[in-house]
Every structure is written in structure tokens, then in C-alpha cells.
Amino acid sequence: MKMKRFLLVLLAAFCLTLADAQGGGPAFMQTFKPVERVHDFGKIYEKKGKVVNVFRFKNMGNTPVAITEVNTWCGCMVANYTKKAVRPGETATVMVTFDPNHKSGNFVKQVVLLLNDGKNYARVWIKANVVPYQHPVTEDHPYYFGQGLYMNQQLLPFPDLKV
């Protein structure tokens, strides 16, 4: 009985060690620090269009850091970033553009930087309160058929009909 219990504990420890060794993903890099961790746009108006913020990151470590990729997790945000390696003491920039088109209300979005071929990561957030506006019906339905009827297709797909 003791032998079975010992083998079961040994097997569980082996499985945990194997699972840990197979990859916990990238590690947070504490030496690549953003000057501003969260940017709050405050109240933005959908009608005025896109807003932009530039995040600055300083390499406080002893080795160069390369930004491999920037994930915005949303089609409403686009990021442009420093492509060359950032030496110790230097600064990198990540420019995030947010498009509030067809968005409304409060939001918080995370921007994740994958560093050094995905081995490390850093992250920042943007916040805002989007004030929507009433879109004209012709924006989504451009074809006018008379008597207040607007549609998004010019032709109506009816099957063959008998007279």
C-alpha cells in the first residue's frame, strides 16, 4: 500500500515538472518600463474620429531589448512601434491609434508588447469614454427606394416567380 502511494506521488511530481518545463509562456520584463502605464483619453467624441497616444518605454536593464510584436487584441486599435533593438538606458516608442467608430461608452483596452522573440512581455492600457453620435441611415443603407425605404443592396435577390 505504501509503495503504491509512493509511486502515485512520484508520478504526480513528474507530471507537474513536465508541465512546468513545457512552457509557461513569456515572462514579464520588469526592466523594460513604460513612462506611463495607463493613458486615459477621458471623454472622446466618436464623430471627431481617431485618437493617438505614444507610449514611451525605457530599458532599465543591462542587455538590449527588441520589441518583436505588439498585440492590441482589437480591430479598433493599431500600434506602430520601434523596430530596432533598444540598448540599456535608451527609450522605445509605441504609438497606439484608437478608432472610436461605432463604439460607445467606457472602455479599457490592454496593449501587450512581446519582447525578445516572445520570451518576455510588457503591457500598458488605454482608457476612454466614447460619446456616440446618431449615424445617418444612409451610412449603412445607401440605396434609396422611395417612401423612406433604404437598403444596403441595390438589387433584391428574389427567386424566379410565376406571373
Side-chain angles (χ1 to χ4, degrees):
M1 189 67 164
K2 285 186 176 185
M3 187 61 152
K4 284 184 182 180
R5 187 174 295 154
F6 174 74
L7 288 174
L8 186 62
V9 169
L10 186 64
L11 180 65
F14 176 74
C15 289
L16 286 175
T17 304
L18 184 63
D20 188 41
Q22 285 185 345
F28 179 70
M29 181 173 266
Q30 293 184 10
T31 58
F32 197 64
K33 295 187 182 258
V35 174
E36 175 186 38
R37 187 166 298 281
V38 178
H39 179 76
D40 189 352
F41 284 110
K43 188 183 287 189
I44 58 175
Y45 295 89
E46 176 188 4
K47 193 170 192 167
K48 290 186 178 180
K50 298 176 182 178
V51 292
V52 177
N53 183 59
V54 177
F55 289 100
R56 296 189 191 322
F57 290 82
K58 185 161 185 173
N59 183 357
M60 309 288 272
N62 298 327
T63 59
V65 175
I67 302 174
T68 308
E69 183 180 349
V70 177
N71 290 323
T72 58
W73 311 106
C74 172
C76 60
M77 290 193 306
V78 177
N80 292 316
Y81 55 93
T82 302
K83 305 287 192 234
K84 65 180 180 104
V86 184
R87 292 188 200 136
E90 290 185 347
T91 303
T93 59
V94 176
M95 183 173 71
V96 179
T97 304
F98 172 69
D99 186 359
N101 191 24
H102 288 85
K103 308 278 184 293
S104 64
N106 291 319
F107 78 90
V108 177
K109 298 286 182 184
Q110 177 177 237
V111 178
V112 177
L113 289 71
L114 293 177
L115 311 169
N116 301 329
D117 293 326
K119 295 176 187 146
N120 304 103
Y121 74 93
R123 58 186 172 185
V124 290
W125 290 266
I126 61 171
K127 297 167 44 173
N129 181 14
V130 179
V131 178
Y133 81 100
Q134 185 70 35
H135 293 267
V137 70
T138 55
E139 191 174 297
D140 293 324
H141 306 286
Y143 301 106
Y144 181 66
F145 286 91
Q147 299 180 352
L149 177 63
Y150 289 90
M151 299 188 73
N152 63 354
Q153 295 181 3
Q154 193 169 16
L155 299 173
L156 299 177
F158 287 110
D160 294 335
L161 300 174
K162 292 183 181 179
V163 179

